[in-house]
Amino acid sequence: ELKVEQNPLFLSMQEGKNYTIYCNYSTTSDRLYWYRQDPGKSLESLFVLLSNGAVKQEGRLMASLDTKARLSTLHITAAVHDLSATYFCAVLNYGGSQGNLIFGKGTKLSVKP
Amino acid sequence: DGGITQSPKYLFRKEGQNVTLSCEQNLNHDAMYWYRQDPGQGLRLIYYSQIVNDFQKGDIAEGYSVSREKKESFPLTVTSAQKNPTAFYLCASSIRQYSGNTIYFGEGSWLTVV
């Protein structure tokens, strides 16, 4: 069974600081997704990582994927308040009753002035 | 605009009632999914469908039922057999299952048992 672990689960940051969220998964997969969720809202797609070594950047967020280590990172550069949200990683699972996308529990990010 | 429409946004269910959540997409996607989210948790898959007239159980299908009679529609019924239905329900779709393409989510439906 594929398991996805994110850490930290809660993150309080000062504006202007850098930090990294980690996403580990337990079995082989080569597709990883990052989503953002604002309170009471749906999930917004941030990145789709499709191969080992993939790196994608959008604004202050950069995501990478190491399929050999089964690890993805979401790096936040010079955080601003607008980045406050919950961030989920999800791993594509090929087959089984779990379906195709297994989510981590999410990292709740709070950026303070 | 293309997207996924879920309705209703908020729904209250009495004990013993069945309720149906609607999900419609105009993205021409083959695959559709229903997820459940409990407070402070990630998403868990209830049912998914790869193509019209076909659907498969996810990890937590007990107490739920679905149909896929049209490509654009994938309604979810929460039956009285679901003992703890209060949650946030999200419908999603993608071009095909396992394609690695982006999976898009609807705005969600809040279900509360009263």
Side-chain angles (χ1 to χ4, degrees):
Chain A
E1 181 176 294
L2 175 60
K3 293 188 186 300
V4 179
E5 288 189 3
Q6 281 183 243
N7 69 83
L9 298 182
F10 298 94
L11 179 56
S12 181
M13 296 176 65
Q14 291 278 322
E15 278 192 330
K17 298 291 188 183
N18 304 334
Y19 210 85
T20 300
I21 299 170
Y22 297 89
C23 176
N24 291 91
Y25 54 98
S26 60
T27 63
T28 301
S29 180
D30 59 358
R31 301 283 190 270
L32 191 134
Y33 304 77
W34 283 97
Y35 287 91
R36 168 183 171 142
Q37 186 178 39
D38 292 297
K41 303 292 187 182
S42 186
L43 273 70
E44 173 191 353
S45 177
L46 294 174
F47 302 108
V48 181
L49 302 171
L50 299 178
S51 61
N52 186 42
V55 177
K56 290 195 174 180
Q57 183 164 5
E58 180 73 34
R60 300 174 188 274
L61 301 178
M62 183 173 70
S64 66
L65 177 62
D66 181 344
T67 58
K68 295 179 181 178
R70 299 176 187 165
L71 170 68
S72 179
T73 60
L74 180 66
H75 187 72
I76 303 157
T77 302
V80 294
H81 179 70
D82 284 352
L83 290 179
S84 297
T86 299
Y87 293 85
F88 290 95
C89 66
V91 177
L92 191 64
N93 178 42
Y94 294 90
S97 67
Q98 291 178 287
N100 71 320
L101 208 57
I102 310 301
F103 283 82
K105 290 188 182 300
T107 296
K108 187 171 183 179
L109 172 64
S110 175
V111 181
K112 301 183 185 304
Chain B
D1 286 354
I4 301 171
T5 301
Q6 288 187 239
S7 64
K9 178 73 173 177
Y10 301 96
L11 185 60
F12 297 91
R13 192 194 91 169
K14 293 182 180 179
E15 297 280 352
Q17 271 187 341
N18 293 350
V19 294
T20 297
L21 307 179
S22 170
C23 178
E24 304 278 331
Q25 54 98 359
N26 61 4
L27 299 168
N28 201 30
H29 285 172
D30 284 324
M32 296 186 74
Y33 318 87
W34 273 105
Y35 287 91
R36 169 179 171 144
Q37 186 178 28
D38 293 286
Q41 300 294 316
L43 278 67
R44 292 182 292 166
L45 183 70
I46 305 171
Y47 269 97
Y48 61 100
S49 169
Q50 298 184 60
I51 199 166
V52 175
N53 292 322
D54 178 72
F55 50 82
Q56 306 294 329
K57 292 182 179 180
D59 204 30
I60 55 165
E62 186 175 349
Y64 300 97
S65 66
V66 293
S67 63
R68 186 87 186 274
E69 297 176 1
K70 298 186 293 183
K71 185 175 185 177
E72 59 270 23
S73 179
F74 192 40
L76 173 74
T77 297
V78 184
T79 76
S80 57
Q82 171 49 240
K83 297 306 178 189
N84 185 23
T86 296
F88 188 45
Y89 291 87
L90 286 157
C91 178
S93 73
S94 63
I95 293 175
R96 292 182 307 281
Q97 194 176 15
Y98 304 126
S99 66
N101 294 100
T102 300
I103 296 174
Y104 296 94
F105 285 83
E107 291 298 307
S109 294
W110 289 93
L111 174 62
T112 303
V113 174
V114 296

